[in-house]
Every structure is written in structure tokens, then in C-alpha cells.
Amino acid sequence: MNYSKSQQEAIRHRDGPMLVLAGPGSGKTAVITARIDSLIREHGVDPSSILVITFTKAAAGEMKQRFLTLCGAERTSVSFGTFHAVFFTVLKHACRYESSNIVTDEQRYRFMREIISGYNLDYREESEFIAGVLAEIGMIKNSRIDLAHFYSSHCGEEVFRSICKAYARRLSDSRLIDFDDMLSLTFDLFQQQPDLLAAWQRKYPYILIDEFQDINRLQYDIVRMMAAPKNNLFIVGDDDQSIYRFRGSKPEIMLGFPKDYPNARTVQLAVNYRCAPDIVAAAGRLIANNVSRFDKELCADRTCRGQLALREFEDQRKQNQWLIEQIRQALREGIPAGEMAVLCRTNTQPRLLLAQMMEQGISFCTRDRIPNLYEHWIAKDIFAYLRIAEGSVARADFLTVMNKPKRYIARDSLCESEVAFDEWIRMYDEQPWIAERIEKLWHDVKELGRMSPYAAVNYIRRGIGYDDYIADYAEYRGVNREDLYEAADEIQESARGYRTTAQWYAHIEKYRARLEQLARRADVRADAVTVSTLHSAKGLEYRLVFMPDANEGIVPYRRAVLAADIEEERRLFYVGMTRAKDALFISYVRSSGDKERYVSRFVEEIAPSRA
């Protein structure tokens, strides 16, 4: 293989720290494997003294296979592994831990479910609440934050601290550790047992780390301890692709590497071998707007221009229809479906698109779990209203909606398993203002029975006042009402075009079955278009990439407020753009539901004069 001058400089580096700035598609995996080969073949380094660390098991396996293909099976004593695998190996030898001591997700959720049952907590979805609390516990461990100085976004500080301590006791009493414990326990061992640390320093005098921009503070501190005193630390990454701040990784760690190691050599892999020149140039214009980054200039190795399109649409449905037509055209031109991807900011964003793709027979697969919109509590409330409109007399349906919006109707007014409106009204003869509200509800559900699904959902929200309930709910629980309105908008939009609720329900059932099928089959198929979040697409490449809904509030996400948050959102968009080899289609809409939408600032930065 012919290597560029900068690639050769990285490959031939022997001792001391080195920082390799590897832009998208710059051949970093080839450089890492060739550098290992160079250490062994040219410098006589024992293969068993080389440790290569990656962030995922799949990446470690791929890196090892690439190395063996290049160098041969006799070099198998080189160690490849994830941070967690490496650190768990330390714990296995020092603490006699086995794989049975690693807590499973099922156990973690069970422990947390039992713990929170002892608190009077107010949350709508238990699993979502537990996932959020566990993520915050992981953040505390990985960032080495003092629990007393951490403030949870899911519950009060005293309750959160109590939950954290109870969770730690449950793990300890069961002699179990989670993945975050693997890091914190290894750090503590190395600090407390210098002889143990020295043994691992002697074992691996050469350490290489891939995707270094994703490292968190605790991982970095442990690696620095292991690499000392020789500091043969070879790190490869791209600060412009650091997109996991929510997991504790920070580009500041990579940016600070030259200060931590003043004698470190730096080399930049500036040639992009993946993307067409127009895509490389546009991505470069975008990321140049970030301030906290290494200054770099990327160029494309390819000479063909490629295709970069920026398109505006009236709404999501029309945008999605255009996207589907582009996929069909590409298929007619002989481009395999597996070479196409739709990249979205969140896993809820593509729900309408997936429904339209299903309706029109476009085969797709997903890299993320797509939450079922119709299992959202707002959808369940709306369905309860519609069932009553269709004649349901089930007490459960009436209990679900009778105070949404607030009507001040007591739950114990519904004692029987079936409800009769006239009898219910008579119960409030002495409170006529409540009787009037029940009569209004009766009138409203009769009106719903005459409407199409779309009109009915709109009437529930605006005519009956369900949107007012959403606003009250959001204010009382301290959540973002716009998130809830967005879910209601999606539910309403999904009902458009169906003449009867039976037709809409049939679509919902088909959609549910397809999501369950996708959940069972997490594989990526060559005969299907990939639908993925931007996070999950990192490290992948496709001939055609679609990035829909490039609107403010979606990207950058509406919760991104601080300058550091906006820079991370820009890096995420940059990652998405640089997945495209030949063609990149970025689109945005003017409206969603009845709300006006604005084009993302990132589109403006890519091309100030938009197409």
C-alpha cells in the first residue's frame, strides 16, 4: 500500500508520545495496523508488549483482523481490546472477578426498580426514569464527580444521592460490578498498589488508542498511569468527531494532550480518501465555525465532484416523499439499497418517514431502537377518547381521560366496570358545574364519532382542550412542553389521510409489528436502506446519505444552549456529512404541524446562498 508522507511519519514513529489527528476517511485504521507491524518488524518490539485499545468490541475485532491480514497469524500475541475488556482483565487477576460478577442490564433495572419503589416519586414512564438515573450514576463514576456536587435532572438531590448509595450497596452485597465500576476500581487499584501498576506497565510498554476523541476523564487517567514512565502512548483520533459528551467524553482531553505531554509529536492525516471533494469542502466550511478545536485543513483525494444538494420543503410528509423518490431513482440506477442511509438527530425523528416507507414498499433496517409512537402516554390518552367516541363504556377508558383537561371529577364517581353518561351526570345533581362538564364531555365524544381520525385528534387537542392538559402536566413536572407537543403533533400527523379509525388502527398494528421485527433483527442488510441516528452512524460510510429535518430545534437540538453544546451539535452534523462518499442530500422544512420551522444554522454555514 502507498502511504502519504504524514501517514509514513505516524507509521514509523517508535518511542515517546504521539498525537495523530485523523480526519474522516483518512485511513487511520491502516496507519494503526501498519505502525504495529513497523514496531515489530523494523524495531524488534515483542508483539506481546503491544496493547491496542478501541471503544467497541466490534472495532477491536475488526482492527485485529485487519492486522492479521496485513502481518500474518504469527503476530497474534498483540493484544486488542476495549477499555472495559482491558480493565476487567486487571480486576480478574487482582480481585478474582469472573464474568459472573458483571451485573446484567436485567439485574440493574431490577435493583433500581426495587430501590425507587421506596420513594414517592412522580414519573410517567418507569423504564425511562430508571435509564436516566443509571446514566447519571455512570456519568458520576466516569467523571469522578463528588456525589455531593452532582445535581440530578430526574429527581431531587437528596433522593438521588440516597438512590445512588442504595444502588452501590445492592451491587456490593451481591458481589457485582457494572461497566463503570471496572474503570473506577482499576483506578483505585493502581493508586493503592504501585507494584500492581508497575507489573502492567512492564507488560505493555507500547499502548495505541483508536478514536481517542471519545475517551472520558477516568479512562484517560488510567491510561496515563499505565503508559508511564516510558509514555509510549500513540493516540489516534479527531477532535472534530467528539460526539459523546453525554457519556463523559470531552474533546478538551484530546486538545490538552500536547500540554500533558510537551514532547509529544503531532501528525495530521489531512487527506480524505472517502468523500467526494464537494462534500469534503462543505463539511470543512461547517466545522471551521467551531472554536475549541485543532486547526486543520482537509482535502479530498478523489477528483470527481460528487453531489451535494440542499432542499427546502413545505412539511415533513412532502420532504419524506421526495426522499423516497430519490431512493427509488438510485435503485433504478443500480445503487444497492445497502449503500444508502438516512441519518437523523434522534431515534424518534424518523417515525413518520418509516411509516411512509412501509406504505410504499421501501425496504429499510434500523441501527437504533425506534420507540413506538403509539405506546406514548399521549397516544394512549387519545385512543381512550376515540374508543369512548366509538361506544366504549369501559371504566378504564373514562378514568384515563375524565380529567384531561381538568374537570374536577372524582375517581370514586366511577364505581362500576361500565359507565353510563346519564347516570354519571345524575350523580352530580348537587354540583351542577361538574355535571355540566360531564355533559360537555358527552357532547364532545359524540362529535368525535363523526370525524376522520386526523380531525378527531385535532378536536381532542384544541376543541376539548387536551393541549391545555399537556401544558399543565409539563409545568407541574418540570418537563419541556415542546417535547410533549411534538409527540402530539406526530400522532396527529400520522392520522392524516385515513378516512376511518379502523384504517388508522390497521396501519398502527402493521407499524407495531414492523418495529418488533426490527428489534429482533438488529442486523444491517444489503437489501435495505439503513435508517440511523447520527451517533450510531459514526465510523460508517455510504454512497448516498440523506440528512432530513435540518431545522433549528432538531439540529442543533433545542436543549443545546451553551456554546459547548452547540459545538458538539455541529460536530455531530459534521460526522453525518462525512459518512457520504458520492452524494449527500440535506433537507429542511418550513412547517411541522401548525408550527413554523426555521432552517438550521448549520445549513447556512455550509452554503450561505442556499439552493
Short mmCIF file of all heavy atoms in Angstrom, two decimals, residues 47-68:
data_model
loop_
_atom_site.label_atom_id
_atom_site.label_comp_id
_atom_site.label_asym_id
_atom_site.label_seq_id
_atom_site.Cartn_x
_atom_site.Cartn_y
_atom_site.Cartn_z
N PRO A 47 5.76 -8.60 20.14
CA PRO A 47 4.33 -8.38 19.90
C PRO A 47 3.49 -8.40 21.17
O PRO A 47 2.50 -7.66 21.28
CB PRO A 47 3.94 -9.53 18.97
CG PRO A 47 5.21 -9.92 18.29
CD PRO A 47 6.29 -9.69 19.30
N SER A 48 3.88 -9.22 22.15
CA SER A 48 3.09 -9.34 23.38
C SER A 48 3.19 -8.11 24.27
O SER A 48 2.47 -8.00 25.26
CB SER A 48 3.51 -10.58 24.17
OG SER A 48 4.84 -10.45 24.64
N SER A 49 4.07 -7.18 23.93
CA SER A 49 4.21 -5.96 24.73
C SER A 49 3.42 -4.79 24.14
O SER A 49 3.55 -3.66 24.61
CB SER A 49 5.69 -5.58 24.84
OG SER A 49 6.21 -5.18 23.59
N ILE A 50 2.60 -5.07 23.13
CA ILE A 50 1.83 -4.03 22.45
C ILE A 50 0.35 -4.19 22.81
O ILE A 50 -0.22 -5.28 22.67
CB ILE A 50 2.01 -4.10 20.92
CG1 ILE A 50 3.49 -3.93 20.55
CG2 ILE A 50 1.15 -3.05 20.23
CD1 ILE A 50 3.77 -4.16 19.08
N LEU A 51 -0.27 -3.11 23.25
CA LEU A 51 -1.69 -3.09 23.60
C LEU A 51 -2.41 -2.09 22.72
O LEU A 51 -2.02 -0.91 22.66
CB LEU A 51 -1.88 -2.72 25.07
CG LEU A 51 -3.32 -2.49 25.56
CD1 LEU A 51 -4.15 -3.77 25.43
CD2 LEU A 51 -3.33 -1.99 27.00
N VAL A 52 -3.46 -2.54 22.04
CA VAL A 52 -4.27 -1.67 21.19
C VAL A 52 -5.66 -1.58 21.79
O VAL A 52 -6.33 -2.60 21.99
CB VAL A 52 -4.36 -2.23 19.75
CG1 VAL A 52 -5.11 -1.26 18.85
CG2 VAL A 52 -2.97 -2.50 19.18
N ILE A 53 -6.09 -0.37 22.10
CA ILE A 53 -7.37 -0.17 22.77
C ILE A 53 -8.34 0.54 21.83
O ILE A 53 -8.01 1.56 21.21
CB ILE A 53 -7.22 0.67 24.05
CG1 ILE A 53 -6.21 0.01 25.00
CG2 ILE A 53 -8.56 0.82 24.75
CD1 ILE A 53 -5.96 0.82 26.27
N THR A 54 -9.55 0.00 21.72
CA THR A 54 -10.62 0.62 20.94
C THR A 54 -11.83 0.81 21.86
O THR A 54 -11.79 0.44 23.04
CB THR A 54 -11.01 -0.26 19.75
OG1 THR A 54 -11.58 -1.48 20.24
CG2 THR A 54 -9.82 -0.59 18.88
N PHE A 55 -12.91 1.34 21.30
CA PHE A 55 -14.06 1.65 22.15
C PHE A 55 -15.18 0.63 22.08
O PHE A 55 -16.06 0.63 22.92
CB PHE A 55 -14.60 3.05 21.81
CG PHE A 55 -13.84 4.13 22.50
CD1 PHE A 55 -12.64 4.57 22.00
CD2 PHE A 55 -14.30 4.68 23.68
CE1 PHE A 55 -11.91 5.56 22.64
CE2 PHE A 55 -13.59 5.67 24.34
CZ PHE A 55 -12.39 6.11 23.82
N THR A 56 -15.18 -0.21 21.06
CA THR A 56 -16.22 -1.24 20.96
C THR A 56 -15.58 -2.59 20.68
O THR A 56 -14.49 -2.67 20.09
CB THR A 56 -17.24 -0.92 19.85
OG1 THR A 56 -16.59 -1.02 18.57
CG2 THR A 56 -17.84 0.47 20.03
N LYS A 57 -16.29 -3.63 21.05
CA LYS A 57 -15.80 -4.99 20.80
C LYS A 57 -15.69 -5.25 19.31
O LYS A 57 -14.73 -5.89 18.85
CB LYS A 57 -16.76 -5.99 21.45
CG LYS A 57 -16.30 -7.43 21.41
CD LYS A 57 -17.27 -8.33 22.16
CE LYS A 57 -16.82 -9.78 22.11
NZ LYS A 57 -17.77 -10.67 22.84
N ALA A 58 -16.66 -4.75 18.55
CA ALA A 58 -16.64 -4.94 17.10
C ALA A 58 -15.42 -4.26 16.48
O ALA A 58 -14.75 -4.82 15.60
CB ALA A 58 -17.92 -4.40 16.48
N ALA A 59 -15.11 -3.04 16.95
CA ALA A 59 -13.96 -2.32 16.42
C ALA A 59 -12.66 -3.04 16.76
O ALA A 59 -11.74 -3.11 15.94
CB ALA A 59 -13.93 -0.89 16.95
N ALA A 60 -12.58 -3.59 17.97
CA ALA A 60 -11.38 -4.34 18.37
C ALA A 60 -11.20 -5.57 17.49
O ALA A 60 -10.08 -5.87 17.04
CB ALA A 60 -11.49 -4.75 19.83
N GLY A 61 -12.32 -6.28 17.23
CA GLY A 61 -12.24 -7.46 16.37
C GLY A 61 -11.84 -7.12 14.95
O GLY A 61 -11.02 -7.82 14.33
N GLU A 62 -12.40 -6.02 14.43
CA GLU A 62 -12.07 -5.60 13.07
C GLU A 62 -10.60 -5.18 12.98
O GLU A 62 -9.90 -5.53 12.02
CB GLU A 62 -12.96 -4.44 12.65
CG GLU A 62 -12.69 -3.94 11.24
CD GLU A 62 -13.52 -2.73 10.87
OE1 GLU A 62 -14.41 -2.35 11.66
OE2 GLU A 62 -13.24 -2.14 9.81
N MET A 63 -10.14 -4.44 13.99
CA MET A 63 -8.74 -3.99 13.99
C MET A 63 -7.80 -5.20 14.03
O MET A 63 -6.79 -5.25 13.31
CB MET A 63 -8.50 -3.09 15.20
CG MET A 63 -7.12 -2.47 15.25
SD MET A 63 -6.94 -1.06 14.14
CE MET A 63 -7.91 0.16 15.02
N LYS A 64 -8.11 -6.17 14.87
CA LYS A 64 -7.27 -7.36 14.97
C LYS A 64 -7.24 -8.12 13.64
O LYS A 64 -6.17 -8.57 13.19
CB LYS A 64 -7.77 -8.28 16.08
CG LYS A 64 -6.93 -9.54 16.28
CD LYS A 64 -7.41 -10.34 17.48
CE LYS A 64 -6.53 -11.56 17.71
NZ LYS A 64 -6.95 -12.34 18.90
N GLN A 65 -8.41 -8.25 12.99
CA GLN A 65 -8.47 -8.97 11.73
C GLN A 65 -7.68 -8.24 10.65
O GLN A 65 -6.96 -8.86 9.85
CB GLN A 65 -9.93 -9.15 11.30
CG GLN A 65 -10.10 -10.06 10.10
CD GLN A 65 -9.50 -11.44 10.34
OE1 GLN A 65 -9.74 -12.08 11.34
NE2 GLN A 65 -8.66 -11.89 9.40
N ARG A 66 -7.78 -6.91 10.63
CA ARG A 66 -7.01 -6.12 9.66
C ARG A 66 -5.51 -6.32 9.88
O ARG A 66 -4.74 -6.43 8.93
CB ARG A 66 -7.38 -4.64 9.79
CG ARG A 66 -8.77 -4.26 9.31
CD ARG A 66 -8.82 -4.02 7.81
NE ARG A 66 -8.06 -2.85 7.41
CZ ARG A 66 -8.56 -1.61 7.35
NH1 ARG A 66 -9.83 -1.38 7.69
NH2 ARG A 66 -7.81 -0.61 6.93
N PHE A 67 -5.12 -6.35 11.14
CA PHE A 67 -3.70 -6.53 11.46
C PHE A 67 -3.20 -7.91 11.03
O PHE A 67 -2.14 -8.04 10.43
CB PHE A 67 -3.48 -6.32 12.95
CG PHE A 67 -2.09 -6.66 13.41
CD1 PHE A 67 -1.02 -5.86 13.06
CD2 PHE A 67 -1.86 -7.79 14.18
CE1 PHE A 67 0.27 -6.18 13.47
CE2 PHE A 67 -0.59 -8.12 14.60
CZ PHE A 67 0.49 -7.31 14.24
N LEU A 68 -3.98 -8.94 11.33
CA LEU A 68 -3.57 -10.31 10.98
C LEU A 68 -3.52 -10.49 9.47
O LEU A 68 -2.65 -11.21 8.94
CB LEU A 68 -4.52 -11.32 11.61
CG LEU A 68 -4.48 -11.40 13.15
CD1 LEU A 68 -5.50 -12.40 13.66
CD2 LEU A 68 -3.08 -11.75 13.63
#
